[in-house]
Each structure stands twice: as structure tokens, then as C-alpha cells.
């Protein structure tokens, strides 16, 4: 009598169920950590941009205007002989969700300026991973 050296359908189904259970258990935990790391990355980038803005202010005597925006950290504004930049090693980064950081002067939050990301939902407001991430 001839016996095939393979797996039975039942054995394959059991393995598929086990893999499905593992993915169902591990995937939500993995993706929740991914969201937390994006928030931490946004906070770190905001902190680096804040430091660059502070150095810009030391050189220039004021923060960049709303019109010049954060581009003043990379490129000298016209008619600014005191500019000693660039103030960041690379161009101003996008937030972890691919959007530009919002720079607003004067501040609406009681600071000298507002620097923030809209978060994962890319809209003002939100909670948890969708919450806006502000400076200071």
C-alpha cells in the first residue's frame, strides 16, 4: 500500500487556526505601540524645532514671522544680515503622518508661538492618537 508523505487537510487547518489566533493576539498590541512611537517622534521633532527657533531668536532678536514661517530656519529671509543659519541640520521635517508642522505667531495658547501637529487624524482636536501635539 502506498502512503503519501504530506500533510492532511485537518493538520493544515489546525496550523492555520493557530496562526490566525497568534496574529489576532499580537497584531493589536504591535499596532498600538506603533501609534505611541509616532507620538513620541512628533514630540521629539517639535522639541528640536523649538531649539532651532530659540537659536534663531538669539541671532535675530525675534522669532520668525507668520509670513516667513519655519522656512526661516533653512533659508535666510530677505534683507536679514544677522541670519546665521541654517538652524537645523536638515530641512524642517514633516510630522510622522506626513503633514507639515503648524507654526503660528502670535500664539493662541499663551506661549510666544504655537508649534504643533494635528496628529494622526490630520484635523484640529481629537483624542488619544488623534490628539493634536503642541509645543511646551
Amino acid at each position: 500500500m502506498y502512503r503519501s508523505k504530506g500533510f492532511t487537510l485537518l493538520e493544515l487547518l489546525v496550523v492555520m487556526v493557530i496562526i490566525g489566533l497568534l496574529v489576532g493576539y499580537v497584531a493589536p498590541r504591535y499596532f498600538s505601540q506603533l501609534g505611541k512611537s509616532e507620538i513620541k517622534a512628533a514630540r521629539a521633532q517639535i522639541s528640536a524645532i523649538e531649539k532651532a527657533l530659540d537659536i534663531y531668536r538669539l541671532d535675530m532678536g525675534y522669532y520668525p514671522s507668520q509670513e516667513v514661517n519655519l522656512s526661516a530656519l533653512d533659508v535666510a529671509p530677505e534683507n536679514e544680515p544677522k541670519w546665521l543659519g541654517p538652524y537645523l541640520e536638515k530641512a524642517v521635517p514633516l510630522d510622522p503622518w506626513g503633514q507639515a508642522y503648524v507654526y503660528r505667531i502670535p500664539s493662541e495658547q499663551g506661549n510666544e508661538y504655537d508649534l504643533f501637529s494635528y496628529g494622526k487624524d490630520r484635523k484640529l482636536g481629537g483624542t488619544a492618537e488623534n490628539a493634536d501635539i503642541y509645543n511646551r
Side-chain angles (χ1 to χ4, degrees):
M1 187 163 125
Y2 176 73
R3 280 195 70 125
S4 174
K5 293 183 178 183
F7 296 104
T8 66
L9 182 58
L10 182 60
E11 290 170 330
L12 289 174
L13 286 173
V14 169
V15 169
M16 297 287 283
V17 167
I18 290 171
I19 290 173
L21 289 171
L22 286 173
V23 168
Y25 180 73
V26 172
R29 295 181 188 280
Y30 171 76
F31 288 114
S32 72
Q33 293 301 318
L34 182 62
K36 290 177 186 175
S37 66
E38 289 171 331
I39 292 169
K40 287 180 183 177
R43 286 190 177 129
Q45 288 176 333
I46 287 172
S47 177
I49 295 169
E50 280 184 307
K51 288 179 177 87
L53 285 167
D54 289 342
I55 295 169
Y56 178 97
R57 181 174 176 243
L58 287 173
D59 288 349
M60 305 296 288
Y62 51 86
Y63 288 109
S65 68
Q66 187 72 43
E67 295 77 32
V68 175
N69 215 322
L70 296 176
S71 65
L73 299 176
D74 295 325
V75 180
E78 290 185 31
N79 303 320
E80 291 292 353
K82 294 193 271 181
W83 190 84
L84 300 174
Y87 295 94
L88 291 170
E89 288 182 26
K90 299 179 182 176
V92 177
L94 298 177
D95 72 12
W97 301 278
Q99 300 296 308
Y101 285 99
V102 179
Y103 173 73
R104 191 167 47 204
I105 191 166
S107 170
E108 294 178 7
Q109 301 290 320
N111 300 319
E112 294 177 275
Y113 60 86
D114 292 332
L115 179 62
F116 65 96
S117 165
Y118 287 120
K120 186 176 182 179
D121 66 354
R122 299 175 180 166
K123 293 187 277 188
L124 190 59
T127 58
E129 290 181 13
N130 293 327
D132 301 339
I133 303 165
Y134 278 88
N135 62 314
R136 302 177 191 178

